[in-house]
Amino acid sequence: MRLKTVSKQTLILSALIAAAIGLRLWGIGSGLPYVFDPDEPHAINHAVRLASGDLNPHDFKYPAGLFYVLALLYGMVFVTMRLTGAMATVNDFAVLFVSDPTVFYLTGRIACALAASACVLVAYKITRRLDDDDNAALLAAGCFALAPALVDWSQVVKQDAWLLLSCMVLCWQTLRLMDRPTLKAYCATGGLLGIAASFHYVTGLWGLGIAIVHLAVAWRQPKPLRSFLKSPGLYLSACSALAVFLALNPYALLDAAAFAKDFSDLYGLSVAWGLPENRSWSKVAATLAFWNSRTPLAAGFALLGAWQLYKRRRAQALLLAAMALIYFVAIGKRGDSGVAGRHALAGGWTLLILAGCGMASVARRFATHKIGRLARLLPALMLLEFTLTCVANVKAKTLPDTRVESRSWILATVPDHTKIVIDMPHLSPALPMQESQLRRLYQHCLQTGHARKDYYRLLLQAKPQETKSFEIYRIKRSYAQLKDLEARTQRSYEAVDSVEATDGIAAWRRERIDFIVLSSYGPGPEKQWNIIERDLTEQATLVASFAPIPGRLTGPYIDIYRTIPR
């Protein structure tokens, strides 16, 4: 029997996909069992709650698509552990989540990494549809495999990887629609838009992309405006998108009041972010030009690729450039600088496709020129720089963390049952809470019907892993400081013991709080509250400080103070 010969392009594409998977899985468990990303617990906690049987997310800051995917995966993990004898009951599985959530976070991170790696294949398919040159498709695939920003964002449990994958598949279908504008194609395109919107609301802007394609199709007709308005395709795609979104997010309809309230609050929050002092043009521009690397070569190749594609396939080039511009304007104007780059990813990724076309055009243009080798070297240098940056970033993530180091110091030094104030949990050492506080908070949540009651109940069932425990208080922050929904922030603080920053350290001392753990990001240990900074010099003593050391220690600056007894 004659074996089928594998083409050179297939081998290179397979190598790129393997490299993408390897880079994303390398260091995937960093930090665990502690969680240092502020958004990961949001997705994981919702998914675990859905897996327990309550399919209503109750919180619509994000669509429920990712939560349902994770809940399904956790169900599969439980069945596997049950069949192998590693887990006896559902309650044991829930106790494992609160005592050591490593398996839950690893499952979610691996799923996100694999979803992001699949984008390499989709990028190849999209570029191959736009450019007959196999090299353009392979170079675009290489950009998606190695771009540092894409690697970073796919190693945590967030909507980013799924947002990117769903938008790319939607774009591929949109390009097919442009070539064959049948009603079936319109329906499929709308359905994919509904799937994309089920992972993040910002993907809804791709509806404008479908409108652009519909306009390009209508432009071919004798009466373009009449055809644009009366052709049923655009309306069919809109209905299909809405139907699929509601099918994947049924509680947007079944719990419409909560959905409308959260969506309205999100809009209000985006308006606040849209104030001139909060706009993120530079953040979005830097992300789409550098992709977290050190050189803007990708942006230059994208401009060249857009021009070359425009000369051959005008409508397709305009679609890709328009979507990048739409997201740049929309996210830059109303985006929080901390997440603006990630949200712009929903449309900005098209620039990497154009960059692949641009790199291939350079190779073709100078194929017989004296400087041809030098010109072809530029794409290789850009991809090499991408790779080296990814390796450096992953190595940094696997370094010891200041939050773990400070946790060890507290467990070794601070007396048992001491009252400790911390800042936001993801910026602070993860400390065990004493049993009496757990019981009190559990009873409070039980009486008020707070969802966190199950978490405290499971913590009480779990076996203590440390010999010491502490009474933990959190410094209360406003929803504006946290850049979150007001209702969510209020619910969060209802289930924990907290102190007001404006009360000052004197009030904390009256509550017999002995230690204060403050943290900050930036070039130095900058404090977030002026009133606390003023009191620290007079009413507290710095007893330990932990600072990141390049190449040896990562994480935020952490200062531990002991209040001076009255």
Side-chain angles (χ1 to χ4, degrees):
M1 184 176 65
R2 188 176 179 179
L3 296 177
K4 186 176 180 180
T5 303
V6 179
S7 67
K8 178 181 177 181
Q9 287 76 17
T10 301
L11 289 174
I12 296 175
L13 179 61
S14 300
L16 289 173
I17 294 174
I21 295 174
L23 283 173
R24 286 157 176 78
L25 293 183
W26 183 14
I28 197 77
S30 61
L32 296 175
Y34 313 113
V35 182
F36 302 142
D37 189 282
D39 295 328
E40 273 194 300
H42 179 80
I44 300 292
N45 294 346
H46 272 73
V48 170
R49 184 175 181 180
L50 292 174
S52 70
D54 182 5
L55 298 181
N56 186 351
H58 298 285
D59 183 343
F60 299 96
K61 180 182 180 181
Y62 297 103
L66 176 60
F67 308 151
Y68 288 130
V69 170
L70 292 175
L72 178 62
L73 292 175
Y74 293 151
M76 296 169 62
V77 170
F78 170 72
V79 170
T80 302
M81 296 180 75
R82 178 74 181 272
L83 292 176
T84 57
M87 194 63 57
T89 66
V90 174
N91 189 72
D92 292 339
F93 195 54
V95 171
L96 176 65
F97 171 66
V98 301
S99 59
D100 184 2
T102 299
V103 67
F104 295 87
Y105 281 86
L106 270 182
T107 300
R109 289 180 183 181
I110 291 173
C112 290
L114 294 178
S117 301
C119 295
V120 177
L121 177 60
V122 183
Y124 178 85
K125 293 289 186 181
I126 292 174
T127 315
R128 195 68 183 81
R129 193 171 191 87
L130 294 170
D131 197 319
D132 295 332
D133 190 347
D134 283 330
N135 290 331
L138 290 173
L139 288 167
C143 290
F144 279 86
L146 305 173
L150 301 186
V151 174
D152 289 344
W153 296 336
S154 62
Q155 290 186 309
V156 290
V157 186
K158 294 183 181 180
Q159 285 77 8
D160 303 337
W162 302 90
L163 171 153
L164 178 61
L165 178 61
S166 59
C167 284
M168 292 183 70
V169 174
L170 171 60
C171 179
W172 175 76
Q173 173 59 30
T174 304
L175 293 172
R176 293 185 64 198
L177 172 65
M178 189 176 291
D179 294 334
R180 297 188 62 187
T182 63
L183 292 181
K184 182 178 179 181
Y186 272 107
C187 187
T189 307
L192 288 171
L193 176 61
I195 292 175
S198 296
F199 289 109
H200 206 297
Y201 299 122
V202 298
T203 59
L205 288 174
W206 266 94
L208 296 176
I210 299 176
I212 292 172
V213 170
H214 186 63
L215 178 61
V217 171
W219 202 260
R220 306 169 191 166
Q221 307 304 317
K223 296 181 179 181
L225 181 60
R226 179 186 178 90
S227 178
F228 179 83
L229 295 175
K230 291 197 172 183
S231 176
L234 186 62
Y235 307 108
L236 181 61
S237 65
C239 292
S240 177
L242 181 61
V244 171
F245 176 80
L246 291 177
L248 297 177
N249 297 266
Y251 286 92
L253 193 61
L254 298 176
D255 195 1
F259 175 78
K261 174 67 168 57
D262 284 355
F263 202 83
S264 175
D265 289 346
L266 274 175
Y267 177 76
L269 202 58
S270 71
V271 170
W273 287 343
L275 296 175
E277 62 270 20
N278 295 331
R279 290 178 182 172
S280 308
W281 306 109
S282 58
K283 176 69 175 180
V284 176
T287 299
L288 300 183
F290 290 83
W291 297 95
N292 289 4
S293 68
R294 294 178 177 83
T295 60
L297 279 175
F301 282 124
L303 290 173
L304 179 60
W307 173 245
Q308 294 295 324
L309 187 62
Y310 179 80
K311 292 191 293 185
R312 290 179 288 109
R313 307 196 70 178
R314 180 174 301 180
Q316 288 82 351
L318 288 175
L319 172 65
L320 297 185
M323 293 313 301
L325 181 61
I326 286 170
Y327 275 91
F328 172 75
V329 172
I331 304 301
K333 183 178 180 181
R334 295 193 182 278
D336 163 39
S337 61
V339 297
R342 289 168 37 219
H343 288 177
L345 181 67
W349 62 267
T350 59
L351 296 179
L352 289 180
I353 298 291
L354 294 173
C357 296
M359 287 187 282
S361 71
V362 169
R364 290 194 301 267
R365 174 69 177 80
F366 296 101
T368 59
H369 200 279
K370 293 181 179 180
I371 62 169
R373 291 184 179 180
L374 179 61
R376 290 195 295 271
L377 188 62
L378 286 177
L381 288 175
M382 189 190 83
L383 295 178
L384 177 62
E385 200 269 334
F386 274 6
T387 304
L388 294 177
T389 302
C390 286
V391 171
N393 291 345
V394 173
K395 283 185 175 180
K397 287 182 180 179
T398 58
L399 292 174
D401 195 279
T402 55
R403 286 158 287 200
V404 178
E405 298 287 319
S406 58
R407 180 184 189 272
S408 299
W409 184 91
I410 290 173
L411 288 172
T413 308
V414 177
D416 196 14
H417 303 315
T418 297
K419 291 185 177 182
I420 301 177
V421 166
I422 65 171
D423 190 9
M424 292 183 291
H426 71 279
L427 291 175
S428 307
L431 301 174
M433 187 180 293
Q434 69 180 53
E435 185 177 349
S436 60
Q437 186 180 21
L438 281 174
R439 292 190 181 281
R440 176 169 52 78
L441 291 174
Y442 169 66
Q443 290 298 328
H444 170 73
C445 292
L446 192 64
Q447 293 171 4
T448 59
H450 198 284
R452 203 170 176 82
K453 63 181 182 298
D454 295 324
Y455 177 75
Y456 289 130
R457 175 180 59 81
L458 293 169
L459 274 177
L460 288 168
Q461 293 180 24
K463 295 181 180 179
Q465 298 180 348
E466 304 291 348
T467 57
K468 288 183 179 181
S469 59
F470 309 98
E471 192 167 343
I472 310 298
Y473 291 79
R474 282 169 53 183
I475 300 175
K476 187 176 290 187
R477 288 171 171 263
S478 68
Y479 74 95
Q481 287 177 315
L482 296 174
K483 296 182 173 63
D484 204 347
L485 300 180
E486 183 176 7
R488 289 184 71 249
T489 302
Q490 183 177 352
R491 285 199 302 270
S492 174
Y493 283 116
E494 287 173 355
V496 298
D497 288 328
S498 59
V499 293
E500 294 282 357
T502 53
D503 290 344
I505 295 178
W508 302 356
R509 290 164 62 203
R510 287 193 291 271
E511 296 295 328
R512 299 185 182 279
I513 291 173
D514 295 322
F515 285 86
I516 303 168
V517 182
L518 296 181
S519 58
S520 66
Y521 277 108
E526 301 168 354
K527 306 302 179 295
Q528 295 89 340
W529 308 275
N530 292 333
I531 189 169
I532 296 178
E533 188 174 26
R534 180 200 66 197
D535 290 350
L536 285 173
T537 57
E538 301 175 358
Q539 304 179 42
T541 303
L542 180 66
V543 293
S545 184
F546 300 85
I549 304 172
R552 292 175 53 192
L553 190 64
T554 188
Y557 291 83
I558 293 181
D559 292 338
I560 302 176
Y561 293 85
R562 181 165 190 172
T563 60
I564 300 173
R566 291 191 302 166

